[in-house]
Amino acid sequence: MKVLYVTSEATPFASSGGLAEVSSSLPYAMRQRLVTCRVVLPLYEAVPQELRENMKFVTSLSVPVAWRRQYCGVFEARYRGVTYYLIDNQYYFKRKGLYGHYDDAERFAFFSRAVLEMLPHIDYKPDIVHANDWQTALVPIYYDLFYSKNEWYYGTKTVYTIHNIQCQGKYSLELSEEVFGISGADKRLIEFDGCINLMKGAIETANKVTTVSQTYAQEIRDPWFSCGLDPILRERSWKIQGIINGLDNRSYDPVSDAMLYEQYDVDTFKQGKATNKRELQRRLYLPERADVPMIGMVTRMVSNKGIELLRDVMDELLQYSDVQFVILGSGDWEYETYFKDLQEKFKGKFVACFGFVPELAHKIYAASDIFLMPSKSEPCGTSQMIALRYGSIPVVRETGGLRDTVFDSQDGYGNGFTFKSYNSRDMINAVYRAIGGYSNHDGWNILVERAMNCDNSWNKSAKQYINMYKEILNAD
């Protein structure tokens, strides 16, 4: 089986978030299962020079973009045994940042068309072309309109993954012909609710639509989650499947994590976590106490992550509970200001650290006893999986991937604490249950051991993707 994984970003070449890690980890995991999976992404200015030096020029071609044609260079690179193609056009991609430019519609229309145009030139005919998010939503659309009846492309199937339904690729209707090159009756594929909606077109044309967790696949058919696309998703529900993202166990492993104060495994976590907790307390000027439960958060400080719930109950939690609370992240000014004020009010109990600091994030996962994720929505989430692997017991709201990976321990078999409603009282009650559980040392150690033994690796997810690919190919 041959797969072409189409993405707007991939580690280590260019990254702005979780998609980049998925685009690196999933192809690698599929390769481990003897599936040929190659990745294609734009050659951004952000690609490091040391990686450019090892790239090989493959070919150049002319790519149609609506009524005009543009130069396209194809470069090849290897990373962890996986072949990557990087699409070069300096006019579109030699800029600061990956997204947010005035002509993103045209940039990614070019990229999507270039992906399909390059295939005969590099002599790689995939069985599956797998596109991701709105930036590559045009790939299944263009394939359906312009390539599916071409003999060379015949038999190729398309998959489209929704990582976050909030970003749908919406543009004004006049761009249909001028930028996307889609005219006449074909425009109906990308028109929705008075504008162009690229995600809607991909849902219509792809052979399979996946999301990044089973629960999210159900949630996005509900108007509360769908950002307007629920009618299309319900109509096409037969082609929608949820597959949870995995965790890169090489990058997140307390046994070998050089960022920790002390490394540990499931057999040595008592000593290892105690050392990491003591050293983090020392670094953050918290009282060095082994007996106090430390609650950690590594998050974007935005409403969608449940920060507004914290504001309702943090004074109560910090005033009346014997806890320490450490949060790391950045985001909206009002939330950052709130946490700065809270830190002044509860010195010795609450610490807020701002910015993207990977080494501190790893230390918080290792040092904390409880990890809080009260998200309003969470398509998949990775922080809860990292917390489990590092023995920090998650407290999460039952939404998206959180519901699929964290199960309430009240039945004696779960790996964390959960709450259902997006409500501050429900959240704080789950936190109180976790604090109460921490006081039962023997029971807590069993829970930590159970959490660290959870398998959220990419191997499981890759197997599900491969089975899904086979089902599509065998459907004819």
mmCIF file of all heavy atoms in Angstrom, residues 212-216 219 244-245 304-306 371-388 394-408 415-419 422 456:
data_model
loop_
_atom_site.group_PDB
_atom_site.id
_atom_site.type_symbol
_atom_site.label_atom_id
_atom_site.label_comp_id
_atom_site.label_asym_id
_atom_site.label_seq_id
_atom_site.Cartn_x
_atom_site.Cartn_y
_atom_site.Cartn_z
ATOM 1 N N VAL A 212 -10.050 13.386 14.819
ATOM 2 C CA VAL A 212 -8.933 12.941 15.639
ATOM 3 C C VAL A 212 -9.345 12.297 16.959
ATOM 4 O O VAL A 212 -8.515 12.127 17.851
ATOM 5 C CB VAL A 212 -7.970 14.112 15.887
ATOM 6 C CG1 VAL A 212 -7.264 14.492 14.593
ATOM 7 C CG2 VAL A 212 -8.716 15.322 16.451
ATOM 8 N N SER A 213 -10.609 11.941 17.091
ATOM 9 C CA SER A 213 -11.061 11.093 18.198
ATOM 10 C C SER A 213 -12.459 10.602 17.870
ATOM 11 O O SER A 213 -13.190 11.228 17.099
ATOM 12 C CB SER A 213 -11.062 11.843 19.544
ATOM 13 O OG SER A 213 -12.063 12.842 19.580
ATOM 14 N N GLN A 214 -12.826 9.494 18.483
ATOM 15 C CA GLN A 214 -14.145 8.912 18.238
ATOM 16 C C GLN A 214 -15.253 9.848 18.730
ATOM 17 O O GLN A 214 -16.275 10.036 18.061
ATOM 18 C CB GLN A 214 -14.256 7.544 18.908
ATOM 19 C CG GLN A 214 -13.322 6.488 18.351
ATOM 20 C CD GLN A 214 -11.986 6.430 19.089
ATOM 21 O OE1 GLN A 214 -11.498 7.434 19.596
ATOM 22 N NE2 GLN A 214 -11.409 5.248 19.149
ATOM 23 N N THR A 215 -15.061 10.421 19.911
ATOM 24 C CA THR A 215 -16.085 11.308 20.458
ATOM 25 C C THR A 215 -16.238 12.562 19.614
ATOM 26 O O THR A 215 -17.359 13.033 19.368
ATOM 27 C CB THR A 215 -15.747 11.676 21.915
ATOM 28 O OG1 THR A 215 -15.807 10.488 22.722
ATOM 29 C CG2 THR A 215 -16.731 12.692 22.476
ATOM 30 N N TYR A 216 -15.130 13.127 19.138
ATOM 31 C CA TYR A 216 -15.199 14.330 18.311
ATOM 32 C C TYR A 216 -15.955 14.045 17.014
ATOM 33 O O TYR A 216 -16.666 14.922 16.496
ATOM 34 C CB TYR A 216 -13.796 14.834 18.015
ATOM 35 C CG TYR A 216 -13.748 16.257 17.499
ATOM 36 C CD1 TYR A 216 -14.283 17.307 18.232
ATOM 37 C CD2 TYR A 216 -13.137 16.559 16.281
ATOM 38 C CE1 TYR A 216 -14.226 18.615 17.769
ATOM 39 C CE2 TYR A 216 -13.066 17.859 15.814
ATOM 40 C CZ TYR A 216 -13.618 18.885 16.556
ATOM 41 O OH TYR A 216 -13.563 20.179 16.089
ATOM 42 N N GLU A 219 -19.411 14.528 18.092
ATOM 43 C CA GLU A 219 -19.706 15.887 18.531
ATOM 44 C C GLU A 219 -19.895 16.845 17.358
ATOM 45 O O GLU A 219 -20.765 17.728 17.403
ATOM 46 C CB GLU A 219 -18.584 16.399 19.438
ATOM 47 C CG GLU A 219 -18.564 15.754 20.820
ATOM 48 C CD GLU A 219 -17.396 16.223 21.659
ATOM 49 O OE1 GLU A 219 -16.402 16.713 21.089
ATOM 50 O OE2 GLU A 219 -17.470 16.088 22.895
ATOM 51 N N ILE A 244 -8.364 8.291 17.207
ATOM 52 C CA ILE A 244 -7.637 9.119 18.167
ATOM 53 C C ILE A 244 -6.184 9.292 17.737
ATOM 54 O O ILE A 244 -5.554 8.350 17.243
ATOM 55 C CB ILE A 244 -7.710 8.502 19.584
ATOM 56 C CG1 ILE A 244 -7.233 9.492 20.652
ATOM 57 C CG2 ILE A 244 -6.937 7.198 19.659
ATOM 58 C CD1 ILE A 244 -8.244 10.516 21.011
ATOM 59 N N ASN A 245 -5.672 10.503 17.883
ATOM 60 C CA ASN A 245 -4.243 10.713 17.659
ATOM 61 C C ASN A 245 -3.444 9.956 18.708
ATOM 62 O O ASN A 245 -3.916 9.722 19.824
ATOM 63 C CB ASN A 245 -3.895 12.199 17.755
ATOM 64 C CG ASN A 245 -4.257 12.964 16.502
ATOM 65 O OD1 ASN A 245 -4.489 12.387 15.446
ATOM 66 N ND2 ASN A 245 -4.312 14.280 16.621
ATOM 67 N N ASN A 304 -11.520 28.612 25.323
ATOM 68 C CA ASN A 304 -11.847 27.250 24.902
ATOM 69 C C ASN A 304 -11.187 26.180 25.772
ATOM 70 O O ASN A 304 -11.633 25.039 25.802
ATOM 71 C CB ASN A 304 -11.444 27.049 23.438
ATOM 72 C CG ASN A 304 -12.165 25.895 22.799
ATOM 73 O OD1 ASN A 304 -13.387 25.824 22.832
ATOM 74 N ND2 ASN A 304 -11.411 24.973 22.214
ATOM 75 N N LYS A 305 -10.118 26.555 26.470
ATOM 76 C CA LYS A 305 -9.410 25.604 27.325
ATOM 77 C C LYS A 305 -9.987 25.552 28.736
ATOM 78 O O LYS A 305 -9.420 24.907 29.618
ATOM 79 C CB LYS A 305 -7.921 25.949 27.383
ATOM 80 C CG LYS A 305 -7.217 25.802 26.046
ATOM 81 C CD LYS A 305 -7.257 24.372 25.534
ATOM 82 C CE LYS A 305 -6.497 24.213 24.230
ATOM 83 N NZ LYS A 305 -6.526 22.810 23.731
ATOM 84 N N GLY A 306 -11.114 26.213 28.964
ATOM 85 C CA GLY A 306 -11.783 26.138 30.257
ATOM 86 C C GLY A 306 -11.257 27.108 31.295
ATOM 87 O O GLY A 306 -11.572 26.974 32.487
ATOM 88 N N PHE A 371 -3.221 16.661 36.986
ATOM 89 C CA PHE A 371 -3.118 17.507 35.796
ATOM 90 C C PHE A 371 -4.521 17.884 35.349
ATOM 91 O O PHE A 371 -5.353 17.027 35.075
ATOM 92 C CB PHE A 371 -2.382 16.773 34.676
ATOM 93 C CG PHE A 371 -1.967 17.685 33.558
ATOM 94 C CD1 PHE A 371 -0.759 18.352 33.610
ATOM 95 C CD2 PHE A 371 -2.790 17.876 32.457
ATOM 96 C CE1 PHE A 371 -0.372 19.197 32.586
ATOM 97 C CE2 PHE A 371 -2.418 18.724 31.437
ATOM 98 C CZ PHE A 371 -1.203 19.388 31.490
ATOM 99 N N LEU A 372 -4.786 19.198 35.276
ATOM 100 C CA LEU A 372 -6.143 19.686 35.021
ATOM 101 C C LEU A 372 -6.320 20.113 33.563
ATOM 102 O O LEU A 372 -5.532 20.899 33.032
ATOM 103 C CB LEU A 372 -6.441 20.867 35.953
ATOM 104 C CG LEU A 372 -7.828 21.502 35.858
ATOM 105 C CD1 LEU A 372 -8.930 20.471 36.116
ATOM 106 C CD2 LEU A 372 -7.942 22.665 36.847
ATOM 107 N N MET A 373 -7.393 19.589 32.914
ATOM 108 C CA MET A 373 -7.772 19.975 31.545
ATOM 109 C C MET A 373 -9.293 20.128 31.483
ATOM 110 O O MET A 373 -9.998 19.195 31.105
ATOM 111 C CB MET A 373 -7.301 18.937 30.527
ATOM 112 C CG MET A 373 -5.813 18.928 30.267
ATOM 113 S SD MET A 373 -5.350 17.776 28.943
ATOM 114 C CE MET A 373 -5.935 18.657 27.488
ATOM 115 N N PRO A 374 -9.814 21.310 31.818
ATOM 116 C CA PRO A 374 -11.271 21.509 31.848
ATOM 117 C C PRO A 374 -11.821 22.072 30.534
ATOM 118 O O PRO A 374 -12.658 22.973 30.531
ATOM 119 C CB PRO A 374 -11.441 22.511 32.989
ATOM 120 C CG PRO A 374 -10.215 23.370 32.889
ATOM 121 C CD PRO A 374 -9.099 22.473 32.376
ATOM 122 N N SER A 375 -11.373 21.563 29.404
ATOM 123 C CA SER A 375 -11.644 22.173 28.103
ATOM 124 C C SER A 375 -13.133 22.225 27.756
ATOM 125 O O SER A 375 -13.886 21.294 28.051
ATOM 126 C CB SER A 375 -10.906 21.397 27.003
ATOM 127 O OG SER A 375 -9.522 21.352 27.263
ATOM 128 N N LYS A 376 -13.512 23.306 27.092
ATOM 129 C CA LYS A 376 -14.862 23.403 26.541
ATOM 130 C C LYS A 376 -15.009 22.418 25.389
ATOM 131 O O LYS A 376 -16.024 21.738 25.244
ATOM 132 C CB LYS A 376 -15.140 24.825 26.054
ATOM 133 C CG LYS A 376 -16.529 25.015 25.461
ATOM 134 C CD LYS A 376 -16.743 26.435 24.952
ATOM 135 C CE LYS A 376 -16.783 27.426 26.092
ATOM 136 N NZ LYS A 376 -17.100 28.814 25.601
ATOM 137 N N SER A 377 -14.005 22.351 24.528
ATOM 138 C CA SER A 377 -13.937 21.331 23.479
ATOM 139 C C SER A 377 -12.475 20.969 23.277
ATOM 140 O O SER A 377 -11.589 21.792 23.480
ATOM 141 C CB SER A 377 -14.557 21.837 22.165
ATOM 142 O OG SER A 377 -13.795 22.898 21.633
ATOM 143 N N GLU A 378 -12.232 19.753 22.889
ATOM 144 C CA GLU A 378 -10.856 19.259 22.715
ATOM 145 C C GLU A 378 -10.903 18.144 21.675
ATOM 146 O O GLU A 378 -11.153 16.988 22.017
ATOM 147 C CB GLU A 378 -10.300 18.739 24.042
ATOM 148 C CG GLU A 378 -8.808 18.559 24.052
ATOM 149 C CD GLU A 378 -8.050 19.878 24.073
ATOM 150 O OE1 GLU A 378 -8.261 20.684 24.992
ATOM 151 O OE2 GLU A 378 -7.251 20.100 23.138
ATOM 152 N N PRO A 379 -10.699 18.477 20.390
ATOM 153 C CA PRO A 379 -10.803 17.449 19.346
ATOM 154 C C PRO A 379 -10.061 16.154 19.692
ATOM 155 O O PRO A 379 -10.603 15.065 19.576
ATOM 156 C CB PRO A 379 -10.198 18.144 18.127
ATOM 157 C CG PRO A 379 -10.499 19.591 18.349
ATOM 158 C CD PRO A 379 -10.373 19.796 19.831
ATOM 159 N N CYS A 380 -8.823 16.299 20.130
ATOM 160 C CA CYS A 380 -8.063 15.125 20.584
ATOM 161 C C CYS A 380 -7.369 15.423 21.903
ATOM 162 O O CYS A 380 -7.701 14.887 22.933
ATOM 163 C CB CYS A 380 -7.035 14.696 19.532
ATOM 164 S SG CYS A 380 -6.003 13.327 20.087
ATOM 165 N N GLY A 381 -6.412 16.347 21.857
ATOM 166 C CA GLY A 381 -5.626 16.656 23.048
ATOM 167 C C GLY A 381 -4.451 15.701 23.184
ATOM 168 O O GLY A 381 -4.593 14.495 22.967
ATOM 169 N N THR A 382 -3.307 16.246 23.544
ATOM 170 C CA THR A 382 -2.143 15.400 23.834
ATOM 171 C C THR A 382 -1.680 15.549 25.277
ATOM 172 O O THR A 382 -1.053 14.651 25.821
ATOM 173 C CB THR A 382 -0.965 15.738 22.902
ATOM 174 O OG1 THR A 382 -0.662 17.145 23.018
ATOM 175 C CG2 THR A 382 -1.302 15.418 21.459
ATOM 176 N N SER A 383 -2.005 16.686 25.899
ATOM 177 C CA SER A 383 -1.504 16.934 27.257
ATOM 178 C C SER A 383 -1.956 15.863 28.234
ATOM 179 O O SER A 383 -1.198 15.458 29.121
ATOM 180 C CB SER A 383 -1.957 18.311 27.747
ATOM 181 O OG SER A 383 -1.334 19.334 27.017
ATOM 182 N N GLN A 384 -3.205 15.393 28.084
ATOM 183 C CA GLN A 384 -3.685 14.354 29.002
ATOM 184 C C GLN A 384 -2.922 13.048 28.804
ATOM 185 O O GLN A 384 -2.680 12.301 29.752
ATOM 186 C CB GLN A 384 -5.203 14.136 28.840
ATOM 187 C CG GLN A 384 -5.640 13.249 27.694
ATOM 188 C CD GLN A 384 -5.684 13.979 26.360
ATOM 189 O OE1 GLN A 384 -5.173 15.078 26.212
ATOM 190 N NE2 GLN A 384 -6.319 13.366 25.378
ATOM 191 N N MET A 385 -2.512 12.762 27.559
ATOM 192 C CA MET A 385 -1.738 11.545 27.297
ATOM 193 C C MET A 385 -0.332 11.656 27.874
ATOM 194 O O MET A 385 0.201 10.690 28.421
ATOM 195 C CB MET A 385 -1.665 11.283 25.797
ATOM 196 C CG MET A 385 -2.994 11.066 25.119
ATOM 197 S SD MET A 385 -2.741 10.592 23.385
ATOM 198 C CE MET A 385 -4.168 11.356 22.626
ATOM 199 N N ILE A 386 0.259 12.853 27.749
ATOM 200 C CA ILE A 386 1.582 13.074 28.337
ATOM 201 C C ILE A 386 1.494 12.940 29.850
ATOM 202 O O ILE A 386 2.339 12.291 30.488
ATOM 203 C CB ILE A 386 2.125 14.460 27.951
ATOM 204 C CG1 ILE A 386 2.214 14.610 26.429
ATOM 205 C CG2 ILE A 386 3.497 14.686 28.587
ATOM 206 C CD1 ILE A 386 2.497 16.028 25.976
ATOM 207 N N ALA A 387 0.473 13.545 30.435
ATOM 208 C CA ALA A 387 0.297 13.468 31.890
ATOM 209 C C ALA A 387 0.195 12.019 32.348
ATOM 210 O O ALA A 387 0.836 11.615 33.332
ATOM 211 C CB ALA A 387 -0.947 14.251 32.310
ATOM 212 N N LEU A 388 -0.597 11.217 31.648
ATOM 213 C CA LEU A 388 -0.724 9.801 31.997
ATOM 214 C C LEU A 388 0.631 9.106 31.950
ATOM 215 O O LEU A 388 0.995 8.352 32.860
ATOM 216 C CB LEU A 388 -1.705 9.109 31.050
ATOM 217 C CG LEU A 388 -3.184 9.451 31.217
ATOM 218 C CD1 LEU A 388 -3.980 8.955 30.026
ATOM 219 C CD2 LEU A 388 -3.744 8.855 32.514
ATOM 220 N N PRO A 394 -4.866 12.835 35.372
ATOM 221 C CA PRO A 394 -5.659 13.883 34.732
ATOM 222 C C PRO A 394 -7.033 14.071 35.370
ATOM 223 O O PRO A 394 -7.695 13.100 35.765
ATOM 224 C CB PRO A 394 -5.821 13.376 33.285
ATOM 225 C CG PRO A 394 -4.943 12.176 33.158
ATOM 226 C CD PRO A 394 -4.731 11.643 34.533
ATOM 227 N N VAL A 395 -7.443 15.332 35.452
ATOM 228 C CA VAL A 395 -8.827 15.695 35.749
ATOM 229 C C VAL A 395 -9.331 16.420 34.507
ATOM 230 O O VAL A 395 -8.826 17.491 34.170
ATOM 231 C CB VAL A 395 -8.933 16.613 36.984
ATOM 232 C CG1 VAL A 395 -10.380 17.048 37.195
ATOM 233 C CG2 VAL A 395 -8.407 15.906 38.225
ATOM 234 N N VAL A 396 -10.298 15.834 33.810
ATOM 235 C CA VAL A 396 -10.696 16.363 32.506
ATOM 236 C C VAL A 396 -12.212 16.433 32.380
ATOM 237 O O VAL A 396 -12.952 15.729 33.074
ATOM 238 C CB VAL A 396 -10.145 15.490 31.354
ATOM 239 C CG1 VAL A 396 -8.636 15.293 31.483
ATOM 240 C CG2 VAL A 396 -10.852 14.134 31.299
ATOM 241 N N ARG A 397 -12.649 17.292 31.460
ATOM 242 C CA ARG A 397 -14.058 17.284 31.081
ATOM 243 C C ARG A 397 -14.262 16.247 29.987
ATOM 244 O O ARG A 397 -13.405 16.069 29.108
ATOM 245 C CB ARG A 397 -14.509 18.657 30.578
ATOM 246 C CG ARG A 397 -16.034 18.740 30.461
ATOM 247 C CD ARG A 397 -16.498 20.122 30.098
ATOM 248 N NE ARG A 397 -16.572 20.331 28.657
ATOM 249 C CZ ARG A 397 -17.605 19.961 27.907
ATOM 250 N NH1 ARG A 397 -18.635 19.320 28.441
ATOM 251 N NH2 ARG A 397 -17.610 20.207 26.619
ATOM 252 N N GLU A 398 -15.382 15.578 30.016
ATOM 253 C CA GLU A 398 -15.649 14.505 29.060
ATOM 254 C C GLU A 398 -16.070 15.095 27.719
ATOM 255 O O GLU A 398 -17.244 15.233 27.404
ATOM 256 C CB GLU A 398 -16.732 13.562 29.601
ATOM 257 C CG GLU A 398 -16.297 12.810 30.852
ATOM 258 C CD GLU A 398 -17.390 11.898 31.379
ATOM 259 O OE1 GLU A 398 -18.351 11.613 30.641
ATOM 260 O OE2 GLU A 398 -17.292 11.487 32.549
ATOM 261 N N THR A 399 -15.062 15.447 26.928
ATOM 262 C CA THR A 399 -15.301 15.979 25.586
ATOM 263 C C THR A 399 -14.186 15.515 24.668
ATOM 264 O O THR A 399 -13.037 15.352 25.090
ATOM 265 C CB THR A 399 -15.370 17.523 25.596
ATOM 266 O OG1 THR A 399 -15.683 18.002 24.284
ATOM 267 C CG2 THR A 399 -14.060 18.138 26.047
ATOM 268 N N GLY A 400 -14.529 15.272 23.395
ATOM 269 C CA GLY A 400 -13.533 14.920 22.400
ATOM 270 C C GLY A 400 -12.598 13.819 22.843
ATOM 271 O O GLY A 400 -12.990 12.821 23.453
ATOM 272 N N GLY A 401 -11.296 14.017 22.543
ATOM 273 C CA GLY A 401 -10.294 13.013 22.872
ATOM 274 C C GLY A 401 -10.078 12.819 24.355
ATOM 275 O O GLY A 401 -9.566 11.776 24.780
ATOM 276 N N LEU A 402 -10.461 13.802 25.165
ATOM 277 C CA LEU A 402 -10.346 13.635 26.616
ATOM 278 C C LEU A 402 -11.249 12.498 27.088
ATOM 279 O O LEU A 402 -10.857 11.678 27.921
ATOM 280 C CB LEU A 402 -10.721 14.938 27.339
ATOM 281 C CG LEU A 402 -9.890 16.170 26.993
ATOM 282 C CD1 LEU A 402 -10.374 17.375 27.788
ATOM 283 C CD2 LEU A 402 -8.412 15.928 27.260
ATOM 284 N N ARG A 403 -12.450 12.452 26.539
ATOM 285 C CA ARG A 403 -13.388 11.394 26.915
ATOM 286 C C ARG A 403 -12.896 10.020 26.459
ATOM 287 O O ARG A 403 -13.175 9.011 27.108
ATOM 288 C CB ARG A 403 -14.754 11.687 26.296
ATOM 289 C CG ARG A 403 -15.818 10.668 26.672
ATOM 290 C CD ARG A 403 -17.131 10.960 25.992
ATOM 291 N NE ARG A 403 -18.138 9.961 26.330
ATOM 292 C CZ ARG A 403 -19.319 9.879 25.740
ATOM 293 N NH1 ARG A 403 -19.634 10.734 24.775
ATOM 294 N NH2 ARG A 403 -20.176 8.959 26.093
ATOM 295 N N ASP A 404 -12.147 9.985 25.354
ATOM 296 C CA ASP A 404 -11.705 8.713 24.791
ATOM 297 C C ASP A 404 -10.427 8.186 25.421
ATOM 298 O O ASP A 404 -10.050 7.030 25.173
ATOM 299 C CB ASP A 404 -11.491 8.858 23.275
ATOM 300 C CG ASP A 404 -12.791 9.146 22.541
ATOM 301 O OD1 ASP A 404 -13.863 8.835 23.093
ATOM 302 O OD2 ASP A 404 -12.739 9.691 21.424
ATOM 303 N N THR A 405 -9.735 8.998 26.214
ATOM 304 C CA THR A 405 -8.455 8.560 26.775
ATOM 305 C C THR A 405 -8.403 8.582 28.299
ATOM 306 O O THR A 405 -7.527 7.942 28.888
ATOM 307 C CB THR A 405 -7.303 9.442 26.238
ATOM 308 O OG1 THR A 405 -7.614 10.822 26.471
ATOM 309 C CG2 THR A 405 -7.092 9.217 24.749
ATOM 310 N N VAL A 406 -9.304 9.342 28.945
ATOM 311 C CA VAL A 406 -9.307 9.424 30.415
ATOM 312 C C VAL A 406 -10.642 8.894 30.921
ATOM 313 O O VAL A 406 -11.703 9.323 30.476
ATOM 314 C CB VAL A 406 -9.087 10.874 30.898
ATOM 315 C CG1 VAL A 406 -9.084 10.924 32.427
ATOM 316 C CG2 VAL A 406 -7.779 11.435 30.342
ATOM 317 N N PHE A 407 -10.564 7.965 31.888
ATOM 318 C CA PHE A 407 -11.761 7.294 32.403
ATOM 319 C C PHE A 407 -11.784 7.426 33.919
ATOM 320 O O PHE A 407 -10.767 7.239 34.581
ATOM 321 C CB PHE A 407 -11.758 5.820 31.972
ATOM 322 C CG PHE A 407 -11.483 5.649 30.504
ATOM 323 C CD1 PHE A 407 -10.213 5.310 30.050
ATOM 324 C CD2 PHE A 407 -12.484 5.877 29.566
ATOM 325 C CE1 PHE A 407 -9.945 5.185 28.698
ATOM 326 C CE2 PHE A 407 -12.235 5.743 28.211
ATOM 327 C CZ PHE A 407 -10.961 5.394 27.770
ATOM 328 N N ASP A 408 -12.958 7.748 34.444
ATOM 329 C CA ASP A 408 -13.064 8.052 35.859
ATOM 330 C C ASP A 408 -12.700 6.842 36.710
ATOM 331 O O ASP A 408 -13.138 5.722 36.459
ATOM 332 C CB ASP A 408 -14.475 8.528 36.195
ATOM 333 C CG ASP A 408 -14.505 9.309 37.493
ATOM 334 O OD1 ASP A 408 -14.435 8.678 38.565
ATOM 335 O OD2 ASP A 408 -14.579 10.544 37.432
ATOM 336 N N ASN A 415 -8.357 5.773 34.981
ATOM 337 C CA ASN A 415 -6.999 6.311 35.055
ATOM 338 C C ASN A 415 -6.980 7.796 35.407
ATOM 339 O O ASN A 415 -5.951 8.447 35.282
ATOM 340 C CB ASN A 415 -6.253 6.082 33.731
ATOM 341 C CG ASN A 415 -7.001 6.669 32.538
ATOM 342 O OD1 ASN A 415 -8.000 7.362 32.695
ATOM 343 N ND2 ASN A 415 -6.521 6.358 31.340
ATOM 344 N N GLY A 416 -8.142 8.344 35.810
ATOM 345 C CA GLY A 416 -8.193 9.755 36.146
ATOM 346 C C GLY A 416 -9.524 10.117 36.778
ATOM 347 O O GLY A 416 -10.233 9.255 37.325
ATOM 348 N N PHE A 417 -9.867 11.396 36.685
ATOM 349 C CA PHE A 417 -11.131 11.900 37.213
ATOM 350 C C PHE A 417 -11.783 12.754 36.141
ATOM 351 O O PHE A 417 -11.116 13.564 35.490
ATOM 352 C CB PHE A 417 -10.898 12.719 38.490
ATOM 353 C CG PHE A 417 -10.291 11.911 39.611
ATOM 354 C CD1 PHE A 417 -8.916 11.756 39.707
ATOM 355 C CD2 PHE A 417 -11.106 11.299 40.556
ATOM 356 C CE1 PHE A 417 -8.351 11.002 40.730
ATOM 357 C CE2 PHE A 417 -10.548 10.542 41.581
ATOM 358 C CZ PHE A 417 -9.174 10.385 41.667
ATOM 359 N N THR A 418 -13.088 12.583 35.952
ATOM 360 C CA THR A 418 -13.770 13.276 34.865
ATOM 361 C C THR A 418 -15.025 13.980 35.370
ATOM 362 O O THR A 418 -15.564 13.648 36.426
ATOM 363 C CB THR A 418 -14.164 12.297 33.747
ATOM 364 O OG1 THR A 418 -15.213 11.425 34.205
ATOM 365 C CG2 THR A 418 -12.966 11.446 33.305
ATOM 366 N N PHE A 419 -15.466 14.965 34.585
ATOM 367 C CA PHE A 419 -16.754 15.602 34.829
ATOM 368 C C PHE A 419 -17.399 15.886 33.477
ATOM 369 O O PHE A 419 -16.714 16.054 32.471
ATOM 370 C CB PHE A 419 -16.610 16.873 35.665
ATOM 371 C CG PHE A 419 -15.802 17.978 35.024
ATOM 372 C CD1 PHE A 419 -16.422 19.060 34.416
ATOM 373 C CD2 PHE A 419 -14.406 17.937 35.039
ATOM 374 C CE1 PHE A 419 -15.683 20.084 33.844
ATOM 375 C CE2 PHE A 419 -13.661 18.953 34.462
ATOM 376 C CZ PHE A 419 -14.297 20.028 33.861
ATOM 377 N N TYR A 422 -20.014 21.479 31.265
ATOM 378 C CA TYR A 422 -19.080 22.603 31.248
ATOM 379 C C TYR A 422 -19.537 23.597 32.311
ATOM 380 O O TYR A 422 -20.198 24.598 32.036
ATOM 381 C CB TYR A 422 -19.041 23.247 29.865
ATOM 382 C CG TYR A 422 -17.930 24.253 29.711
ATOM 383 C CD1 TYR A 422 -16.599 23.854 29.750
ATOM 384 C CD2 TYR A 422 -18.214 25.603 29.537
ATOM 385 C CE1 TYR A 422 -15.576 24.777 29.622
ATOM 386 C CE2 TYR A 422 -17.208 26.534 29.408
ATOM 387 C CZ TYR A 422 -15.889 26.113 29.458
ATOM 388 O OH TYR A 422 -14.868 27.036 29.323
ATOM 389 N N ASN A 456 -1.102 4.852 24.735
ATOM 390 C CA ASN A 456 -1.645 5.852 23.806
ATOM 391 C C ASN A 456 -0.670 6.116 22.671
ATOM 392 O O ASN A 456 -0.624 7.211 22.111
ATOM 393 C CB ASN A 456 -1.935 7.153 24.558
ATOM 394 C CG ASN A 456 -3.114 7.016 25.511
ATOM 395 O OD1 ASN A 456 -4.201 6.624 25.117
ATOM 396 N ND2 ASN A 456 -2.892 7.338 26.784
#
